Amino acid sequence: MKWLSKSYVGVVMAFLYAPIAVLIVFSFNQSKSRGAWTGFTFAWYQKLFTNEVILQSLMNTLVIAVVSSIVATVLGTLAAIGISNMKRLTRGIVMNITYMPVVNPEIVTGVSLMLLFVWVNSVGIHIEFGFLTLILAHITFNVPYVILNVLPKLRQMDVFVYEAAQDLGCSPAQAFFKVVIPEILPGILSGFLMAFTYSLDDFIISYFVAGATSQTLPITIFSMTRRKVSPEINALSAIIFAVVLTVLLIVNAHDARRERENRQKARARA
C-alpha cells in the first residue's frame, strides 16, 4: 500500500503546485499570452523592477508588515502574560474575546474597522485613511495570533524558575528578561512570523482601510488584474514564491541541524 499513499501524495502536490509552476514558466514568456509559448525572456522581470507603482506598493507592504508585526508581538506577548496570571473565569472570558477576531470573517473585520475610523474622524480626531489606518488595522488582527502562540509556552514554563531567579538576587524585571523571555521565545518568534505572514498576505481588511495614496501590494495586484493580468504579475509572483521557499528551506535546515545537535548532546550525556 506504500505505492498508493505515495501516489496520493504525488497527486495532491501536483494539484497544489502545478498552477504555480505554470505561472513561473510563463513569467519568462516573450508573449503576453497565457496560452502560447513564443520564447524565453527576462523582459518582464526588467519591467517589474522599473514599475514604480508595484515597487512603491511592495515597500508599503513591507513597512506595514514589519511595524505592525513588531507592535503586535510586543502587545500580544504582554497580553498573554497578563492572561496567564488571571483567574480561571476571567481568563476564559478574555480568551473567548481573543478568539473572536480569529473566527470572525475578514470582511466583517474590515468593514468594522472602516466604520470605526470614520466615527473617530466624526468626533474630531483626524485620522486620514492611508498608512496609519493600515498599520492600526494590521496590529488589530495580528495581536490575537501572537497571544495564541505565546500562551502555550507560558503554560509549559515552570513558574518556580521565575521565583527562584528572584530568590537568587534578580529583580522582577531582571527575572522577566533573563528567565521568562528565553522560555517563551519560541512562541514569541512563532507569533511574530505568523503576524508578519498574515500582514503580507492580507487583502480584504487592507482594502477597506487603505487610502488612495497608501496601497499594499495585494490591493495593487487586484487593481491590475481587474483590467488584464500582466506578465509582470507572473514575474512578481515567481519572485515572492522563490523568496518564501528559500526562507522555509533555511528555517527547516536550521531546525534539523538543531535537532541533530540536541540528539548528539543527549547521547553524549547518556
Side-chain angles (χ1 to χ4, degrees), residues 76-77 79-80 83 94-96 98-103 142-153 155 187 190-191 194:
T77 301
I83 292 172
V94 174
M95 285 304 300
N96 286 329
T98 302
Y99 277 114
M100 288 177 63
V102 177
V103 299
N142 278 332
V143 167
Y145 294 102
V146 178
I147 294 174
L148 297 176
N149 275 276
V150 175
L151 271 177
K153 293 299 179 182
R155 295 193 189 100
S190 298
M194 184 170 288

Side-chain angles (χ1 to χ4, degrees), residues 46-56 224 232:
Q46 295 174 355
K47 289 184 178 181
L48 171 65
F49 288 106
T50 57
N51 191 320
E52 294 184 1
V53 175
I54 292 180
L55 294 178
Q56 184 60 48
M224 295 175 68
E232 295 174 37

